[in-house]
Amino acid sequence: MNQPKVVVTRRIPLQAMELIRPHATIFLWDKEEEPIPQNVLLQEARDAVAIYTNVADKIDREIIEAAPQLKVVSTMAVGYDNIDIAAATARGIAVGHTPGVLTETTADLTFALLMATARRVAEGHDFVKAGKWASWAPMLLTGQDIYGATIGIIGLGRIGEAVARRAAGFGMNILYYNRNPRPEVEAELGARYVELEALLRQSDYVVLLAPGGGGTYRLMGAREFGLMKPNAIFINTSRGTNVDETALYDALKNGSIWAAGLDVFDVEPVPLHHPLLSLPNVTVLPHIGSASIATRTRMAVMAAQNLVAGLMDEVLPHVVNPQVYEK
Ligand code: DGY
């Protein structure tokens, strides 16, 4: 019997491949860091029953419409703003993702980036390696305090809550803005719900953790950066599309905010000539929020489990669009 075809758009951990292999004929884009070209994906999707994807791919309407047999799209990520969910749902295609397993790892990285930006860790590292360290100096590479400062978390989902827990451990005052207030987090961590404008005005650290997509597109623009304090630090480990990067550049350049730590960009990889990369008060990372060995392996396995469930016409353990099961 012919096995259904599965397109795997990147080399993934062996454990995940082993879960898929017994159920499918696999087309693997066998590259570690190079994304599958869109035309290859389009071509390979034509007779595919399932696609195993990641945040670097675009599973748009064109791909979905080109794949008449497609039953399941499984992404090795919690975020799915790179997938046209409406188009998939209209076709009855289940979309799977990996919530929960990356929460603590991403919160760790968010806090690491916050601390690195506040205390100028990357600048200090470069300074020493460039042979510029002449002497201890009273004001050399002085940064901002974390203990006792106010953190404002935009988006208090799982990861936001895990960041709040870390902030509480560091003796920070915690503000948050979210679709819905979270009284249980307020009771546990002393966090306080405020409207976005108040959060921006009062926070020393503004941490963006809202999901990507239409509803949060350019959530942070010139007006929002303009409301922040001049000593404030902006951290983004959510999606680059949530930020107007030109407005962020202007705010950093003219000193209306103090620094930024960015793990995500509007266009990834961020082009080397991007103005933000020219600023000393920007600390950057290559979208590695969830990148611990254990977590990435768990994500890969979870995405494989979602995919195999879809192949077997079972309900995906972690489905983005449960409406596909309503009929
Ligand atoms: C996600 O899971 O959405 C991250 O951005 C990739 O780890």
Side-chain angles (χ1 to χ4, degrees), residues 72-77 83 94-98 306 316 318-321:
V72 54
V73 174
S74 179
T75 185
M76 185 186 151
I83 302 170
V95 178
H97 70 147
T98 64
N306 279 332
L316 272 50
H318 298 280
V319 68
V320 169
N321 54 349

Side-chain angles (χ1 to χ4, degrees), residues 16 18 45 80 96 212 225 243 270 290 305 317 320:
E18 293 307 323
Y80 43 81
F225 289 119
V243 175
V270 61
S290 61
Q305 289 165 340
V320 169

